PDB file of all heavy atoms in Angstrom:
ATOM      1  N   LEU A   1      -8.287 -20.160   7.863  1.00 87.00           N
ATOM      2  CA  LEU A   1      -6.973 -20.228   7.215  1.00 87.00           C
ATOM      3  C   LEU A   1      -6.324 -18.850   7.172  1.00 87.00           C
ATOM      4  O   LEU A   1      -5.126 -18.712   7.438  1.00 87.00           O
ATOM      5  CB  LEU A   1      -7.107 -20.790   5.795  1.00 87.00           C
ATOM      6  CG  LEU A   1      -7.445 -22.269   5.681  1.00 87.00           C
ATOM      7  CD1 LEU A   1      -7.728 -22.633   4.221  1.00 87.00           C
ATOM      8  CD2 LEU A   1      -6.309 -23.115   6.232  1.00 87.00           C
ATOM      9  N   PHE A   2      -7.106 -17.847   6.846  1.00 83.00           N
ATOM     10  CA  PHE A   2      -6.608 -16.471   6.806  1.00 83.00           C
ATOM     11  C   PHE A   2      -6.080 -16.055   8.178  1.00 83.00           C
ATOM     12  O   PHE A   2      -4.984 -15.509   8.302  1.00 83.00           O
ATOM     13  CB  PHE A   2      -7.740 -15.537   6.349  1.00 83.00           C
ATOM     14  CG  PHE A   2      -7.412 -14.079   6.448  1.00 83.00           C
ATOM     15  CD1 PHE A   2      -6.499 -13.498   5.583  1.00 83.00           C
ATOM     16  CD2 PHE A   2      -8.036 -13.285   7.389  1.00 83.00           C
ATOM     17  CE1 PHE A   2      -6.203 -12.144   5.659  1.00 83.00           C
ATOM     18  CE2 PHE A   2      -7.752 -11.927   7.473  1.00 83.00           C
ATOM     19  CZ  PHE A   2      -6.838 -11.365   6.603  1.00 83.00           C
ATOM     20  N   LEU A   3      -6.844 -16.341   9.227  1.00 83.00           N
ATOM     21  CA  LEU A   3      -6.418 -15.979  10.581  1.00 83.00           C
ATOM     22  C   LEU A   3      -5.176 -16.759  11.006  1.00 83.00           C
ATOM     23  O   LEU A   3      -4.312 -16.222  11.700  1.00 83.00           O
ATOM     24  CB  LEU A   3      -7.562 -16.197  11.571  1.00 83.00           C
ATOM     25  CG  LEU A   3      -8.751 -15.245  11.419  1.00 83.00           C
ATOM     26  CD1 LEU A   3      -9.888 -15.673  12.341  1.00 83.00           C
ATOM     27  CD2 LEU A   3      -8.351 -13.813  11.686  1.00 83.00           C
ATOM     28  N   ALA A   4      -5.093 -18.013  10.593  1.00 88.00           N
ATOM     29  CA  ALA A   4      -3.935 -18.835  10.957  1.00 88.00           C
ATOM     30  C   ALA A   4      -2.650 -18.321  10.320  1.00 88.00           C
ATOM     31  O   ALA A   4      -1.567 -18.483  10.881  1.00 88.00           O
ATOM     32  CB  ALA A   4      -4.179 -20.283  10.552  1.00 88.00           C
ATOM     33  N   GLU A   5      -2.756 -17.697   9.160  1.00 89.00           N
ATOM     34  CA  GLU A   5      -1.589 -17.182   8.452  1.00 89.00           C
ATOM     35  C   GLU A   5      -1.202 -15.764   8.873  1.00 89.00           C
ATOM     36  O   GLU A   5      -0.186 -15.242   8.432  1.00 89.00           O
ATOM     37  CB  GLU A   5      -1.848 -17.210   6.945  1.00 89.00           C
ATOM     38  CG  GLU A   5      -2.006 -18.610   6.385  1.00 89.00           C
ATOM     39  CD  GLU A   5      -2.415 -18.607   4.927  1.00 89.00           C
ATOM     40  OE1 GLU A   5      -2.588 -17.519   4.348  1.00 89.00           O
ATOM     41  OE2 GLU A   5      -2.581 -19.700   4.377  1.00 89.00           O
ATOM     42  N   THR A   6      -1.996 -15.160   9.733  1.00 88.00           N
ATOM     43  CA  THR A   6      -1.740 -13.793  10.172  1.00 88.00           C
ATOM     44  C   THR A   6      -0.590 -13.772  11.173  1.00 88.00           C
ATOM     45  O   THR A   6      -0.540 -14.606  12.076  1.00 88.00           O
ATOM     46  CB  THR A   6      -3.012 -13.209  10.830  1.00 88.00           C
ATOM     47  OG1 THR A   6      -4.086 -13.290   9.903  1.00 88.00           O
ATOM     48  CG2 THR A   6      -2.812 -11.768  11.225  1.00 88.00           C
ATOM     49  N   PRO A   7       0.343 -12.826  11.035  1.00 91.00           N
ATOM     50  CA  PRO A   7       1.421 -12.718  12.023  1.00 91.00           C
ATOM     51  C   PRO A   7       0.869 -12.534  13.440  1.00 91.00           C
ATOM     52  O   PRO A   7      -0.258 -12.092  13.633  1.00 91.00           O
ATOM     53  CB  PRO A   7       2.191 -11.468  11.571  1.00 91.00           C
ATOM     54  CG  PRO A   7       1.875 -11.341  10.116  1.00 91.00           C
ATOM     55  CD  PRO A   7       0.474 -11.856   9.957  1.00 91.00           C
ATOM     56  N   ASP A   8       1.688 -12.866  14.429  1.00 89.00           N
ATOM     57  CA  ASP A   8       1.239 -12.879  15.818  1.00 89.00           C
ATOM     58  C   ASP A   8       1.179 -11.518  16.500  1.00 89.00           C
ATOM     59  O   ASP A   8       0.696 -11.420  17.627  1.00 89.00           O
ATOM     60  CB  ASP A   8       2.136 -13.807  16.653  1.00 89.00           C
ATOM     61  CG  ASP A   8       1.893 -15.269  16.328  1.00 89.00           C
ATOM     62  OD1 ASP A   8       0.792 -15.596  15.867  1.00 89.00           O
ATOM     63  OD2 ASP A   8       2.813 -16.073  16.554  1.00 89.00           O
ATOM     64  N   ASP A   9       1.651 -10.462  15.862  1.00 90.00           N
ATOM     65  CA  ASP A   9       1.636  -9.163  16.536  1.00 90.00           C
ATOM     66  C   ASP A   9       0.193  -8.648  16.650  1.00 90.00           C
ATOM     67  O   ASP A   9      -0.652  -8.953  15.808  1.00 90.00           O
ATOM     68  CB  ASP A   9       2.517  -8.161  15.796  1.00 90.00           C
ATOM     69  CG  ASP A   9       2.009  -7.875  14.403  1.00 90.00           C
ATOM     70  OD1 ASP A   9       2.231  -8.724  13.511  1.00 90.00           O
ATOM     71  OD2 ASP A   9       1.376  -6.827  14.207  1.00 90.00           O
ATOM     72  N   PRO A  10      -0.095  -7.898  17.708  1.00 89.00           N
ATOM     73  CA  PRO A  10      -1.469  -7.439  17.945  1.00 89.00           C
ATOM     74  C   PRO A  10      -2.065  -6.610  16.808  1.00 89.00           C
ATOM     75  O   PRO A  10      -3.258  -6.720  16.524  1.00 89.00           O
ATOM     76  CB  PRO A  10      -1.352  -6.596  19.221  1.00 89.00           C
ATOM     77  CG  PRO A  10      -0.127  -7.069  19.895  1.00 89.00           C
ATOM     78  CD  PRO A  10       0.804  -7.508  18.806  1.00 89.00           C
ATOM     79  N   THR A  11      -1.255  -5.811  16.144  1.00 90.00           N
ATOM     80  CA  THR A  11      -1.773  -4.989  15.054  1.00 90.00           C
ATOM     81  C   THR A  11      -2.273  -5.859  13.900  1.00 90.00           C
ATOM     82  O   THR A  11      -3.375  -5.653  13.393  1.00 90.00           O
ATOM     83  CB  THR A  11      -0.685  -4.013  14.558  1.00 90.00           C
ATOM     84  OG1 THR A  11      -0.291  -3.182  15.657  1.00 90.00           O
ATOM     85  CG2 THR A  11      -1.188  -3.154  13.414  1.00 90.00           C
ATOM     86  N   SER A  12      -1.480  -6.829  13.509  1.00 90.00           N
ATOM     87  CA  SER A  12      -1.892  -7.737  12.428  1.00 90.00           C
ATOM     88  C   SER A  12      -3.093  -8.569  12.839  1.00 90.00           C
ATOM     89  O   SER A  12      -4.026  -8.770  12.047  1.00 90.00           O
ATOM     90  CB  SER A  12      -0.737  -8.664  12.043  1.00 90.00           C
ATOM     91  OG  SER A  12       0.343  -7.930  11.540  1.00 90.00           O
ATOM     92  N   GLN A  13      -3.094  -9.064  14.069  1.00 90.00           N
ATOM     93  CA  GLN A  13      -4.209  -9.871  14.552  1.00 90.00           C
ATOM     94  C   GLN A  13      -5.504  -9.044  14.589  1.00 90.00           C
ATOM     95  O   GLN A  13      -6.558  -9.538  14.185  1.00 90.00           O
ATOM     96  CB  GLN A  13      -3.896 -10.428  15.946  1.00 90.00           C
ATOM     97  CG  GLN A  13      -2.852 -11.520  15.948  1.00 90.00           C
ATOM     98  CD  GLN A  13      -3.365 -12.801  15.318  1.00 90.00           C
ATOM     99  OE1 GLN A  13      -4.470 -13.237  15.601  1.00 90.00           O
ATOM    100  NE2 GLN A  13      -2.550 -13.395  14.471  1.00 90.00           N
ATOM    101  N   ALA A  14      -5.417  -7.810  15.067  1.00 91.00           N
ATOM    102  CA  ALA A  14      -6.608  -6.954  15.135  1.00 91.00           C
ATOM    103  C   ALA A  14      -7.137  -6.639  13.740  1.00 91.00           C
ATOM    104  O   ALA A  14      -8.349  -6.643  13.504  1.00 91.00           O
ATOM    105  CB  ALA A  14      -6.296  -5.667  15.890  1.00 91.00           C
ATOM    106  N   THR A  15      -6.242  -6.390  12.814  1.00 90.00           N
ATOM    107  CA  THR A  15      -6.654  -6.117  11.437  1.00 90.00           C
ATOM    108  C   THR A  15      -7.336  -7.340  10.840  1.00 90.00           C
ATOM    109  O   THR A  15      -8.401  -7.235  10.218  1.00 90.00           O
ATOM    110  CB  THR A  15      -5.440  -5.707  10.586  1.00 90.00           C
ATOM    111  OG1 THR A  15      -4.840  -4.549  11.167  1.00 90.00           O
ATOM    112  CG2 THR A  15      -5.838  -5.405   9.158  1.00 90.00           C
ATOM    113  N   ALA A  16      -6.752  -8.503  11.036  1.00 90.00           N
ATOM    114  CA  ALA A  16      -7.329  -9.741  10.509  1.00 90.00           C
ATOM    115  C   ALA A  16      -8.689 -10.029  11.142  1.00 90.00           C
ATOM    116  O   ALA A  16      -9.629 -10.441  10.447  1.00 90.00           O
ATOM    117  CB  ALA A  16      -6.368 -10.907  10.749  1.00 90.00           C
ATOM    118  N   MET A  17      -8.804  -9.817  12.437  1.00 89.00           N
ATOM    119  CA  MET A  17     -10.091 -10.043  13.104  1.00 89.00           C
ATOM    120  C   MET A  17     -11.157  -9.090  12.573  1.00 89.00           C
ATOM    121  O   MET A  17     -12.318  -9.487  12.406  1.00 89.00           O
ATOM    122  CB  MET A  17      -9.951  -9.878  14.612  1.00 89.00           C
ATOM    123  CG  MET A  17      -9.262 -11.037  15.283  1.00 89.00           C
ATOM    124  SD  MET A  17      -9.177 -10.819  17.074  1.00 89.00           S
ATOM    125  CE  MET A  17     -10.895 -11.023  17.515  1.00 89.00           C
ATOM    126  N   SER A  18     -10.781  -7.857  12.303  1.00 90.00           N
ATOM    127  CA  SER A  18     -11.729  -6.891  11.738  1.00 90.00           C
ATOM    128  C   SER A  18     -12.234  -7.369  10.383  1.00 90.00           C
ATOM    129  O   SER A  18     -13.438  -7.342  10.109  1.00 90.00           O
ATOM    130  CB  SER A  18     -11.070  -5.520  11.568  1.00 90.00           C
ATOM    131  OG  SER A  18     -10.671  -4.994  12.791  1.00 90.00           O
ATOM    132  N   LEU A  19     -11.320  -7.814   9.550  1.00 88.00           N
ATOM    133  CA  LEU A  19     -11.702  -8.299   8.224  1.00 88.00           C
ATOM    134  C   LEU A  19     -12.528  -9.579   8.307  1.00 88.00           C
ATOM    135  O   LEU A  19     -13.471  -9.773   7.537  1.00 88.00           O
ATOM    136  CB  LEU A  19     -10.457  -8.506   7.373  1.00 88.00           C
ATOM    137  CG  LEU A  19      -9.690  -7.223   7.038  1.00 88.00           C
ATOM    138  CD1 LEU A  19      -8.382  -7.561   6.333  1.00 88.00           C
ATOM    139  CD2 LEU A  19     -10.533  -6.288   6.206  1.00 88.00           C
ATOM    140  N   ALA A  20     -12.195 -10.444   9.249  1.00 89.00           N
ATOM    141  CA  ALA A  20     -12.982 -11.666   9.451  1.00 89.00           C
ATOM    142  C   ALA A  20     -14.398 -11.307   9.914  1.00 89.00           C
ATOM    143  O   ALA A  20     -15.377 -11.926   9.484  1.00 89.00           O
ATOM    144  CB  ALA A  20     -12.299 -12.573  10.464  1.00 89.00           C
ATOM    145  N   GLY A  21     -14.502 -10.302  10.772  1.00 89.00           N
ATOM    146  CA  GLY A  21     -15.819  -9.843  11.197  1.00 89.00           C
ATOM    147  C   GLY A  21     -16.626  -9.286  10.040  1.00 89.00           C
ATOM    148  O   GLY A  21     -17.827  -9.538   9.916  1.00 89.00           O
ATOM    149  N   TRP A  22     -15.960  -8.549   9.176  1.00 88.00           N
ATOM    150  CA  TRP A  22     -16.644  -8.001   7.994  1.00 88.00           C
ATOM    151  C   TRP A  22     -17.123  -9.133   7.091  1.00 88.00           C
ATOM    152  O   TRP A  22     -18.231  -9.085   6.562  1.00 88.00           O
ATOM    153  CB  TRP A  22     -15.722  -7.053   7.249  1.00 88.00           C
ATOM    154  CG  TRP A  22     -16.402  -6.380   6.096  1.00 88.00           C
ATOM    155  CD1 TRP A  22     -16.175  -6.596   4.775  1.00 88.00           C
ATOM    156  CD2 TRP A  22     -17.426  -5.386   6.170  1.00 88.00           C
ATOM    157  NE1 TRP A  22     -16.990  -5.790   4.021  1.00 88.00           N
ATOM    158  CE2 TRP A  22     -17.773  -5.038   4.845  1.00 88.00           C
ATOM    159  CE3 TRP A  22     -18.087  -4.761   7.220  1.00 88.00           C
ATOM    160  CZ2 TRP A  22     -18.751  -4.096   4.554  1.00 88.00           C
ATOM    161  CZ3 TRP A  22     -19.066  -3.811   6.917  1.00 88.00           C
ATOM    162  CH2 TRP A  22     -19.386  -3.492   5.602  1.00 88.00           C
ATOM    163  N   ALA A  23     -16.310 -10.164   6.925  1.00 87.00           N
ATOM    164  CA  ALA A  23     -16.720 -11.311   6.103  1.00 87.00           C
ATOM    165  C   ALA A  23     -17.950 -11.989   6.702  1.00 87.00           C
ATOM    166  O   ALA A  23     -18.866 -12.390   5.980  1.00 87.00           O
ATOM    167  CB  ALA A  23     -15.566 -12.312   5.981  1.00 87.00           C
ATOM    168  N   ARG A  24     -17.989 -12.103   8.013  1.00 87.00           N
ATOM    169  CA  ARG A  24     -19.150 -12.688   8.669  1.00 87.00           C
ATOM    170  C   ARG A  24     -20.388 -11.814   8.441  1.00 87.00           C
ATOM    171  O   ARG A  24     -21.474 -12.317   8.208  1.00 87.00           O
ATOM    172  CB  ARG A  24     -18.881 -12.875  10.155  1.00 87.00           C
ATOM    173  CG  ARG A  24     -18.011 -14.076  10.426  1.00 87.00           C
ATOM    174  CD  ARG A  24     -17.558 -14.124  11.876  1.00 87.00           C
ATOM    175  NE  ARG A  24     -17.094 -15.437  12.262  1.00 87.00           N
ATOM    176  CZ  ARG A  24     -15.948 -15.990  11.895  1.00 87.00           C
ATOM    177  NH1 ARG A  24     -15.141 -15.332  11.088  1.00 87.00           N
ATOM    178  NH2 ARG A  24     -15.602 -17.187  12.294  1.00 87.00           N
ATOM    179  N   ARG A  25     -20.207 -10.507   8.491  1.00 87.00           N
ATOM    180  CA  ARG A  25     -21.315  -9.598   8.235  1.00 87.00           C
ATOM    181  C   ARG A  25     -21.811  -9.755   6.803  1.00 87.00           C
ATOM    182  O   ARG A  25     -23.001  -9.803   6.544  1.00 87.00           O
ATOM    183  CB  ARG A  25     -20.854  -8.158   8.503  1.00 87.00           C
ATOM    184  CG  ARG A  25     -21.972  -7.128   8.447  1.00 87.00           C
ATOM    185  CD  ARG A  25     -22.029  -6.489   7.072  1.00 87.00           C
ATOM    186  NE  ARG A  25     -22.951  -5.375   7.088  1.00 87.00           N
ATOM    187  CZ  ARG A  25     -24.049  -5.334   6.352  1.00 87.00           C
ATOM    188  NH1 ARG A  25     -24.374  -6.319   5.580  1.00 87.00           N
ATOM    189  NH2 ARG A  25     -24.837  -4.290   6.383  1.00 87.00           N
ATOM    190  N   LEU A  26     -20.897  -9.868   5.849  1.00 84.00           N
ATOM    191  CA  LEU A  26     -21.285 -10.045   4.454  1.00 84.00           C
ATOM    192  C   LEU A  26     -22.020 -11.362   4.234  1.00 84.00           C
ATOM    193  O   LEU A  26     -22.861 -11.466   3.348  1.00 84.00           O
ATOM    194  CB  LEU A  26     -20.057  -9.976   3.547  1.00 84.00           C
ATOM    195  CG  LEU A  26     -19.389  -8.606   3.435  1.00 84.00           C
ATOM    196  CD1 LEU A  26     -18.149  -8.707   2.562  1.00 84.00           C
ATOM    197  CD2 LEU A  26     -20.351  -7.563   2.902  1.00 84.00           C
ATOM    198  N   ALA A  27     -21.710 -12.360   5.060  1.00 85.00           N
ATOM    199  CA  ALA A  27     -22.389 -13.652   4.966  1.00 85.00           C
ATOM    200  C   ALA A  27     -23.756 -13.621   5.641  1.00 85.00           C
ATOM    201  O   ALA A  27     -24.481 -14.616   5.622  1.00 85.00           O
ATOM    202  CB  ALA A  27     -21.525 -14.740   5.597  1.00 85.00           C
ATOM    203  N   GLY A  28     -24.107 -12.478   6.247  1.00 86.00           N
ATOM    204  CA  GLY A  28     -25.415 -12.346   6.861  1.00 86.00           C
ATOM    205  C   GLY A  28     -25.433 -12.536   8.366  1.00 86.00           C
ATOM    206  O   GLY A  28     -26.490 -12.546   8.978  1.00 86.00           O
ATOM    207  N   TYR A  29     -24.270 -12.660   8.964  1.00 87.00           N
ATOM    208  CA  TYR A  29     -24.167 -12.862  10.407  1.00 87.00           C
ATOM    209  C   TYR A  29     -23.697 -11.556  11.059  1.00 87.00           C
ATOM    210  O   TYR A  29     -22.578 -11.447  11.553  1.00 87.00           O
ATOM    211  CB  TYR A  29     -23.205 -14.013  10.712  1.00 87.00           C
ATOM    212  CG  TYR A  29     -23.694 -15.332  10.185  1.00 87.00           C
ATOM    213  CD1 TYR A  29     -23.407 -15.744   8.887  1.00 87.00           C
ATOM    214  CD2 TYR A  29     -24.468 -16.166  10.976  1.00 87.00           C
ATOM    215  CE1 TYR A  29     -23.870 -16.947   8.393  1.00 87.00           C
ATOM    216  CE2 TYR A  29     -24.946 -17.373  10.492  1.00 87.00           C
ATOM    217  CZ  TYR A  29     -24.646 -17.763   9.196  1.00 87.00           C
ATOM    218  OH  TYR A  29     -25.110 -18.956   8.709  1.00 87.00           O
ATOM    219  N   ASP A  30     -24.587 -10.562  11.045  1.00 87.00           N
ATOM    220  CA  ASP A  30     -24.235  -9.223  11.522  1.00 87.00           C
ATOM    221  C   ASP A  30     -23.765  -9.218  12.968  1.00 87.00           C
ATOM    222  O   ASP A  30     -22.742  -8.608  13.284  1.00 87.00           O
ATOM    223  CB  ASP A  30     -25.418  -8.275  11.376  1.00 87.00           C
ATOM    224  CG  ASP A  30     -25.698  -7.890   9.938  1.00 87.00           C
ATOM    225  OD1 ASP A  30     -24.984  -8.370   9.042  1.00 87.00           O
ATOM    226  OD2 ASP A  30     -26.630  -7.104   9.712  1.00 87.00           O
ATOM    227  N   ASP A  31     -24.520  -9.855  13.850  1.00 90.00           N
ATOM    228  CA  ASP A  31     -24.172  -9.817  15.272  1.00 90.00           C
ATOM    229  C   ASP A  31     -22.810 -10.452  15.540  1.00 90.00           C
ATOM    230  O   ASP A  31     -21.995  -9.911  16.286  1.00 90.00           O
ATOM    231  CB  ASP A  31     -25.240 -10.517  16.121  1.00 90.00           C
ATOM    232  CG  ASP A  31     -26.559  -9.757  16.110  1.00 90.00           C
ATOM    233  OD1 ASP A  31     -26.545  -8.546  15.814  1.00 90.00           O
ATOM    234  OD2 ASP A  31     -27.597 -10.383  16.400  1.00 90.00           O
ATOM    235  N   GLU A  32     -22.567 -11.588  14.918  1.00 89.00           N
ATOM    236  CA  GLU A  32     -21.266 -12.246  15.087  1.00 89.00           C
ATOM    237  C   GLU A  32     -20.143 -11.388  14.507  1.00 89.00           C
ATOM    238  O   GLU A  32     -19.074 -11.255  15.099  1.00 89.00           O
ATOM    239  CB  GLU A  32     -21.278 -13.622  14.422  1.00 89.00           C
ATOM    240  CG  GLU A  32     -20.019 -14.398  14.644  1.00 89.00           C
ATOM    241  CD  GLU A  32     -20.055 -15.779  14.014  1.00 89.00           C
ATOM    242  OE1 GLU A  32     -21.134 -16.237  13.597  1.00 89.00           O
ATOM    243  OE2 GLU A  32     -18.979 -16.383  13.936  1.00 89.00           O
ATOM    244  N   GLY A  33     -20.396 -10.797  13.348  1.00 89.00           N
ATOM    245  CA  GLY A  33     -19.397  -9.929  12.738  1.00 89.00           C
ATOM    246  C   GLY A  33     -19.049  -8.747  13.623  1.00 89.00           C
ATOM    247  O   GLY A  33     -17.872  -8.407  13.794  1.00 89.00           O
TER     248      GLY A  33
END
């Protein structure tokens, strides 16, 4: 949902992907993050 609401510009998308990766790492999925 967070990624779907992110604006389409590359800067916003890259920032959102970074944060999504961090969330995956916090959930214990280091490699995926």
Side-chain angles (χ1 to χ4, degrees):
L1 289 172
F2 172 71
L3 292 173
E5 295 174 359
T6 303
D8 288 335
D9 63 282
T11 301
S12 297
Q13 288 290 315
T15 301
M17 285 182 70
S18 298
L19 294 173
W22 185 250
R24 283 170 162 73
R25 188 264 189 243
L26 291 177
Y29 296 88
D30 288 1
D31 293 339
E32 185 178 348

